[in-house]
Amino acid sequence: MNKNKGFIGIGLILAIVLGVVVVGGGAYYMGTKKDNPKQEVDKLSEVSEINKEVGQEVSKTQNQDTKLIDQTKTVVDNSSANCKSNSVPSIKVLSPNGGEVYKAGDKITVKWESCNITSTALNIFVALHKDGGWDSVTYLSNATTNNGNEVFTIPANIMLGSYKIRVGSVSAKVQQDFSDNSFTINSPQVSMANWKTYTNKEYGFSFNYPETWSMVGQPSNNINLKGEITGQEVNFNDINTNTILNVHYYLAPSGKEVFNLTLSDFNSGLYKDAKEIKVDGNNGIKYFTTKSIDIKGNVYNPPMKEVFVNFLDTKQTGSMVLFLETILPNSVTEIANFEKLLTTFKFL
């Protein structure tokens, strides 16, 4: 563009030197009375050539401008109805925009519109923000095309709860937008089609568990210093997901004592993520913890997610304690399995 303008400027100077005024792409000769006819013809001929060349350059420049505009259309996404060529670059999230309900592992369609944001490059990032904040951020994509519509899979191990989506420009992070309101991500759907059943006839309880879990050894009795049996426990694990489940039945009177201690800790606020539940119609307490180091100070990498459930038996004198531990990346799926297991628990 600068080169073209320079050429037109030279043409204009030549026109002025020759006594020509260029108007609207045409040239008019401004001779004096002293000029003879032959000189006028010669000068008019020169003006004609200059006018032709100037016209050609103007046409060439217009064509180049048209090409540049076409190229600009391929690299700028003006999907916003109010977007103009001089508008400030911006991005607006269209969906999910609040109120939607998903499950971990679901497909989620993210839609947005943008103005004057590069579209041919991988210039868009998409992230999930737990509770709309910055403490827990999960990136669905660090760099994707600015096409305004992308399908992602919600990670199966994502923390459940309330979320907002954030869409922004990789090259200019200030160009970004959040969902207006929060949406929800719940536990994934659990199929029990091939689940197994564990039944303890000695103490009268049963439950179903995932086909990928295996019972470790045989049930073992707990014996106190007096040689009395105080309870029994059985263990399960899934070596593929690094998951263990400990099921412990406390006989009376220790069972009621264990539950009362758990209830007291719950009422005092000792457990941050806890709630009262019912299992097979019996009162219980459930709480979650995340463990990053063991008692010796060794770091867990990745961290461990733990779920503790304690509930009374039918006679209200004994109690069950179920303890689940799994690595954080698998926690959503395995906790969903555990929650389903609790719905199948029965005292016989």
Side-chain angles (χ1 to χ4, degrees), residues 70-87:
D70 290 342
Q71 291 171 352
T72 301
K73 287 180 179 178
T74 66
V75 298
V76 175
D77 177 18
N78 291 336
S79 57
S80 174
N82 298 320
C83 182
K84 307 299 181 184
S85 60
N86 61 346
S87 297

Side-chain angles (χ1 to χ4, degrees), residues 303-339:
M304 306 297 292
K305 190 72 175 181
E306 299 175 337
V307 188
F308 176 90
V309 174
N310 185 194
F311 54 93
L312 291 168
D313 63 9
T314 303
K315 296 179 180 179
Q316 306 292 291
T317 55
S319 69
M320 297 290 309
V321 172
L322 278 68
F323 175 78
L324 178 84
E325 184 178 73
T326 187
I327 59 174
L328 194 59
N330 297 328
S331 61
V332 171
T333 300
E334 293 297 64
I335 289 175
N337 286 332
F338 181 64
E339 298 281 2

Side-chain angles (χ1 to χ4, degrees), residues 27-304:
Y28 296 87
Y29 175 66
M30 298 178 63
T32 64
K33 292 182 179 180
K34 294 181 181 180
D35 295 328
N36 59 42
K38 184 176 182 306
Q39 289 174 324
E40 291 179 3
V41 170
D42 291 341
K43 289 184 177 180
L44 285 172
S45 177
E46 292 177 14
V47 169
S48 177
E49 290 299 318
I50 292 172
N51 186 52
K52 182 189 295 183
E53 293 178 4
V54 170
Q56 289 174 345
E57 285 300 315
V58 169
S59 176
K60 180 179 178 182
T61 300
Q62 290 172 341
N63 289 336
Q64 290 179 341
D65 284 344
T66 301
K67 290 180 180 178
L68 182 59
I69 291 172
D70 290 342
Q71 291 171 352
T72 301
K73 287 180 179 178
T74 66
V75 298
V76 175
D77 177 18
N78 291 336
S79 57
S80 174
N82 298 320
C83 182
K84 307 299 181 184
S85 60
N86 61 346
S87 297
V88 176
S90 62
I91 294 174
K92 179 175 177 58
V93 172
L94 301 179
S95 68
N97 206 32
E100 299 87 350
V101 178
Y102 302 97
K103 295 187 293 293
D106 277 357
K107 299 288 185 182
I108 179 173
T109 300
V110 179
K111 296 182 180 180
W112 67 93
E113 65 180 17
S114 64
C115 178
N116 295 328
I117 304 292
T118 302
S119 62
T120 55
L122 299 177
N123 192 39
I124 293 294
F125 66 84
V126 181
L128 288 165
H129 286 248
K130 181 78 166 63
D131 300 319
W134 295 89
D135 291 339
S136 178
V137 181
T138 303
Y139 280 87
L140 298 177
S141 175
N142 289 309
T144 190
T145 305
N146 186 24
N147 55 14
N149 188 321
E150 199 78 29
V151 178
F152 301 99
T153 299
I154 300 173
N157 63 340
I158 196 168
M159 294 176 63
L160 307 179
S162 175
Y163 280 86
K164 285 188 177 183
I165 204 83
R166 177 170 63 107
V167 178
S169 169
V170 173
S171 57
K173 293 293 178 68
V174 68
Q175 297 158 8
Q176 61 181 358
D177 187 42
F178 278 85
S179 305
D180 289 339
N181 298 291
S182 298
F183 53 91
T184 304
I185 298 178
N186 290 328
S187 299
Q189 190 70 35
V190 176
S191 172
M192 296 176 55
N194 298 312
W195 277 32
K196 306 171 188 177
T197 300
Y198 172 77
T199 301
N200 189 310
K201 294 182 179 180
E202 185 176 2
Y203 293 104
F205 63 89
S206 71
F207 57 85
N208 297 332
Y209 61 98
E211 68 275 14
T212 57
W213 294 9
S214 301
M215 189 168 72
V216 181
Q218 295 297 318
S220 59
N221 292 328
N222 298 118
I223 301 175
N224 63 17
L225 295 176
K226 296 179 181 180
E228 300 169 334
I229 296 176
T230 59
Q232 189 178 86
E233 65 178 291
V234 59
N235 295 288
F236 300 81
N237 71 1
D238 184 337
I239 59 174
N240 294 317
T241 61
N242 294 300
T243 301
I244 62 169
L245 172 68
N246 174 262
V247 179
H248 199 138
Y249 181 48
Y250 290 91
L251 299 173
S254 60
K256 185 66 175 289
E257 294 170 355
V258 169
F259 179 76
N260 286 339
L261 179 61
T262 301
L263 183 62
S264 175
D265 289 341
F266 170 77
N267 290 331
S268 67
L270 179 64
Y271 309 127
K272 294 182 179 179
D273 188 3
K275 63 180 180 180
E276 294 182 275
I277 62 171
K278 283 188 177 294
V279 179
D280 192 25
N282 300 291
N283 294 328
I285 302 293
K286 178 173 64 177
Y287 66 87
F288 299 84
T289 60
T290 301
K291 186 166 61 176
S292 300
I293 58 174
D294 63 17
I295 58 175
K296 295 181 179 180
N298 298 314
V299 177
Y300 287 110
N301 186 21
M304 306 297 292

